[in-house]
Amino acid sequence: MLYTRKGDGGTTKTFGCDQRVSKSSSIAEALGSLDEINSFLGLIKVKSKKITFELPENKISVPETIDRIQQDLFIIQAELAGAPKTIAEEKVKWLEEIIDGIEKTLPPIKTFFVSGGTELATLSDIARTIARRAERRVIGVVDEGKIKIGKNTLAYLNRLSSVLYAFARNFNHIANITEEAPQYK
């Protein structure tokens, strides 16, 4: 069934919780932000069909990489909702390897960049900002002391925006598009 009518009063339940919480609560906001980034990554996955990044040590399929990230986001959502799940350290290291590999293929960063270039670069930049918001929402719930999240989960959320930034830069790089620095005029 696609609806239950149980949320019509503006409340929802999380894993292992007998009480309903407001859909405007910090936990619902954090879960919603994670859902939002996961859905937006689906758009990038579909638009990047058959794109592979040639990195110094290996090749990575963009759609397969995004799919793995989406699967990891479900683990994070489950953990945030109270399930006995957490992100393993090797998943953080995996993201770091991707970031490091992409960084080796790019010119050094000397400034901020104006979002744009290719469609996939722009979508990756949007995803990066959504990921940052999701990270802030999750940290907000943790700061309130309402839930504990594993240190690797927090690290993963932080690396997520970095890998999306690397994706954006690399999509422009492989399209031979020079990134535009802000003019501050």
Side-chain angles (χ1 to χ4, degrees):
M1 192 166 206
L2 297 176
Y3 63 92
T4 64
R5 294 191 174 105
K6 293 178 182 176
D8 291 354
T11 62
T12 191
K13 280 179 70 175
T14 60
F15 179 86
C17 180
D18 294 333
Q19 297 176 327
R20 297 188 71 77
V21 296
S22 172
K23 289 183 178 182
S24 69
S25 68
S26 58
I27 188 79
E29 185 65 31
L31 287 167
S33 293
L34 290 167
D35 188 34
E36 183 179 2
I37 184 56
N38 203 330
S39 295
F40 200 86
L41 287 172
L43 175 63
I44 297 171
K45 180 171 64 176
V46 167
K47 289 193 169 279
S48 66
K49 282 185 183 170
K50 300 181 184 174
I51 294 180
T52 300
F53 288 158
E54 302 280 340
L55 305 180
E57 288 87 30
N58 60 356
K59 293 192 276 191
I60 64 165
S61 160
V62 174
E64 288 174 15
T65 301
I66 290 175
D67 188 72
R68 275 184 65 182
I69 291 169
Q70 288 179 295
Q71 295 296 332
D72 291 344
L73 286 169
F74 277 102
I75 294 169
I76 294 170
Q77 285 178 283
E79 180 179 7
L80 190 61
K85 304 276 182 198
T86 194
I87 291 291
E89 183 178 8
E90 53 267 13
K91 291 180 182 280
V92 177
K93 290 183 186 286
W94 172 69
L95 284 182
E96 289 172 347
E97 288 170 8
I98 294 168
I99 296 163
D100 293 344
I102 291 172
E103 191 170 30
K104 288 176 185 173
T105 68
L106 300 173
I109 299 171
K110 296 181 180 176
T111 182
F112 288 106
F113 300 111
V114 177
S115 183
T118 67
E119 179 182 31
L120 282 169
T122 304
L123 291 172
S124 296
D125 268 332
I126 293 168
R128 174 186 54 80
T129 64
I130 297 169
R132 283 276 189 223
R133 180 176 58 232
E135 179 187 15
R136 289 191 306 269
R137 298 295 185 260
V138 169
I139 290 170
V141 173
V142 171
D143 285 350
E144 290 174 3
K146 293 185 176 182
I147 196 155
K148 290 187 180 193
I149 298 293
K151 70 176 185 168
N152 292 321
T153 298
L154 292 174
Y156 189 95
L157 287 171
N158 189 263
R159 296 309 176 282
L160 177 57
S161 58
S162 297
V163 80
L164 293 169
Y165 180 67
F167 271 36
R169 292 198 66 221
N170 204 38
F171 282 129
N172 280 338
H173 181 71
I174 61 178
N176 291 317
I177 293 176
T178 302
E179 295 163 314
E180 177 188 354
Q183 297 176 15
Y184 299 106
K185 292 183 188 178

